[in-house]
Amino acid sequence: MESPVIIFPHLGIEISNLPNGFSIGNFRIAFYGVLIAIGMILAVLIAMHRAKKTNQYPDHYVDIGIISIICSIVGARLYYVIFSLKEYTSFWQIFNIRQGGLAIYGGLIGGILAAYFVCRYKKISFLRAMDTAVPGIALAQAIGRWGNFFNKEAYGGYTDSLFAMQIKYSEAGGVVSEELLKNMVEVNGVKYIQVHPTYLYESAWCLLLFIILMLVSRLARYKGEILLWYLGGYAIERAIVEGFRTDQLRIGETIPVSQLLSIAIVAAAFVILLINRIRIWSHSWEPDYKYVLDDGDPGTKAHYDELKAKRSKKKKSQWETYTVDDKDGAEDTEAEETKAEEPAEEDLPEDPATAAEEAEAAAEAKEESE
């Protein structure tokens, strides 16, 4: 009988067959990528649903989603590479994301920056767009984290807690620390490392965060409030769970960069939330906020149609100006060429007949004078 790949000893769960993907012909598709793609699609669909309920134009979130997803993948890779340069012996290895190496904070930074510029171009509120999108992003993270489970990676150090997870040592995909080697267990002659299932902690937290954000959205008093709750809520979990992980990205040899960033985000998000609430309670600030937009407000279908019409009219006007100027210029050029081709009257050659008559008249005049 084949030995289990994953064991949860205190929960009585054993998993014997756990592939990390499937093949179509010679092409290998990882479950990690499939789960991330499912999460991203759901995030866009949820954002579109929320946009429709608040009288926003849902198609905006298709455009924001497509560009942000591309930029988030680039950002996730860059973040990982910057703090793991020593792992790469060749420049071209940096582009091989199929071998792993994506960091969630880099993805968030890249995606949020892309969303900001798309919103600027579309002349809609960036903060409102983020408030609309972040619940779906939390759900996408909850789903995507299970890709680490299939890859048997992104786990924590040794634990003997209720949720302790044993991974067959020969199939462990993450970093095996000295602590894990010292506490290795043997089950039926097979060696296992016993770890914190950090992917499970983060997935459960992000699912809870998704539910909370969906419930409190109507209680928001100003644009950007839901975004702040998301950033602060996620960063709390990441600051804690990052301390368990064995594959931390570090500044130097000692400082976990994602943990440090998480602490900074928690502090900033909750300070801003507190200050804004105090301003509202003290009546020193009355935010002009509407949960459901009125027709014609920035972000609605009517506003988009009006903006599109203005841009179309502007382009048409520019084209007509160009065409008229070009036509006038062509006529002026043609007239100048015609004028240049016509010789001046004083430069015309003399007609022979006229010259003979003038000579005869001059001769007669001379005879008369004599």
Side-chain angles (χ1 to χ4, degrees):
M1 180 179 178
E2 186 179 355
S3 58
V5 177
I6 300 286
I7 302 174
F8 290 89
H10 303 311
L11 299 176
I13 299 173
E14 296 184 357
I15 302 173
S16 297
N17 184 23
L18 188 66
N20 64 0
F22 59 95
S23 297
I24 298 178
N26 295 325
F27 189 73
R28 183 72 177 171
I29 299 175
F31 288 137
Y32 185 90
V34 172
L35 289 169
I36 288 178
I38 291 172
M40 289 176 171
I41 292 169
L42 282 176
V44 173
L45 292 176
I46 290 170
M48 293 176 69
H49 172 72
R50 286 168 56 78
K52 188 175 181 180
K53 288 182 65 176
T54 54
N55 199 29
Q56 298 180 69
Y57 187 36
D59 285 8
H60 283 323
Y61 291 89
V62 177
D63 299 334
I64 293 172
I66 291 172
I67 297 173
S68 294
I69 286 170
I70 295 171
C71 292
S72 68
I73 294 172
V74 175
R77 184 59 171 175
L78 280 176
Y79 185 98
Y80 183 88
V81 169
I82 288 170
F83 295 104
S84 310
L85 281 175
K86 60 184 179 181
E87 295 183 11
Y88 301 96
T89 57
S90 166
F91 174 75
W92 299 110
Q93 284 182 296
I94 293 173
F95 301 96
N96 187 12
I97 62 173
R98 289 178 59 81
Q99 295 300 316
L102 299 174
I104 183 62
Y105 269 133
L108 288 175
I109 293 169
I112 289 174
L113 283 175
Y116 172 77
F117 287 108
V118 174
C119 290
R120 283 286 302 272
Y121 174 76
K122 291 184 171 293
K123 299 188 182 302
I124 61 177
S125 170
F126 165 71
L127 293 178
R128 181 180 287 278
M130 287 294 95
D131 285 345
T132 305
V134 289
I137 293 173
L139 180 62
Q141 289 175 256
I143 294 170
R145 273 298 166 200
W146 282 89
N148 300 133
F149 171 70
F150 286 101
N151 284 352
K152 309 166 197 69
E153 63 183 5
Y155 43 72
Y158 173 79
T159 183
D160 197 31
S161 65
L162 176 64
F163 296 103
M165 180 176 71
Q166 295 174 348
I167 305 174
K168 188 186 288 187
Y169 177 56
S170 61
E171 297 195 25
V175 176
V176 180
S177 64
E178 292 184 8
E179 179 194 24
L180 292 177
L181 292 174
K182 289 178 182 177
N183 292 280
M184 192 175 293
V185 297
E186 191 169 313
V187 180
N188 298 326
V190 179
K191 292 182 178 180
Y192 291 83
I193 55 173
Q194 187 163 309
V195 302
H196 277 286
T198 51
Y199 75 89
L200 178 60
Y201 301 159
E202 184 157 328
S203 179
W205 182 270
C206 287
L207 180 60
L208 177 63
L209 184 60
F210 162 71
I211 294 170
I212 292 172
L213 293 177
M214 291 292 286
L215 292 175
V216 303
S217 289
R218 285 183 173 274
L219 303 178
R221 296 291 303 278
Y222 54 89
K223 289 180 286 189
E225 186 173 5
I226 303 302
L227 172 62
L228 288 170
W229 280 110
Y230 163 75
L231 291 173
Y234 174 68
I236 287 175
E237 174 272 325
R238 190 57 188 267
I240 297 170
V241 172
E242 186 71 14
F244 297 144
R245 288 179 58 163
T246 61
D247 59 348
Q248 298 169 339
L249 298 176
R250 296 176 179 271
I251 300 175
E253 297 294 329
T254 57
I255 304 175
V257 61
S258 293
Q259 193 171 40
L260 182 65
L261 181 58
S262 295
I263 294 170
I265 291 173
V266 170
F270 286 109
V271 165
I272 295 171
L273 283 167
L274 180 60
I275 290 173
N276 285 342
R277 280 294 166 175
I278 291 173
R279 291 172 63 197
I280 292 172
W281 291 333
S282 64
H283 303 290
S284 63
W285 179 41
E286 289 293 337
D288 182 19
Y289 178 75
K290 291 178 287 186
Y291 178 70
V292 179
L293 295 178
D294 297 328
D295 285 333
D297 285 344
T300 60
K301 178 69 164 60
H303 173 262
Y304 171 74
D305 289 341
E306 182 182 353
L307 184 63
K308 188 177 179 181
K310 286 181 179 178
R311 285 176 173 164
S312 177
K313 185 177 180 181
K314 183 178 179 182
K315 287 181 180 179
K316 185 178 179 182
S317 175
Q318 289 175 340
W319 174 252
E320 287 176 347
T321 302
Y322 170 78
T323 305
V324 170
D325 290 346
D326 184 60
K327 184 179 178 181
D328 291 346
E331 290 176 351
D332 292 343
T333 303
E334 185 178 350
E336 289 175 0
E337 289 177 353
T338 304
K339 187 176 181 180
E341 288 174 0
E342 294 177 358
E345 187 174 346
E346 58 187 15
D347 296 332
L348 289 173
E350 193 171 9
D351 185 2
T354 303
E357 290 176 358
E358 289 179 352
E360 186 178 351
E364 290 178 356
K366 184 178 181 181
E367 288 177 358
E368 290 176 357
S369 62
E370 289 178 354

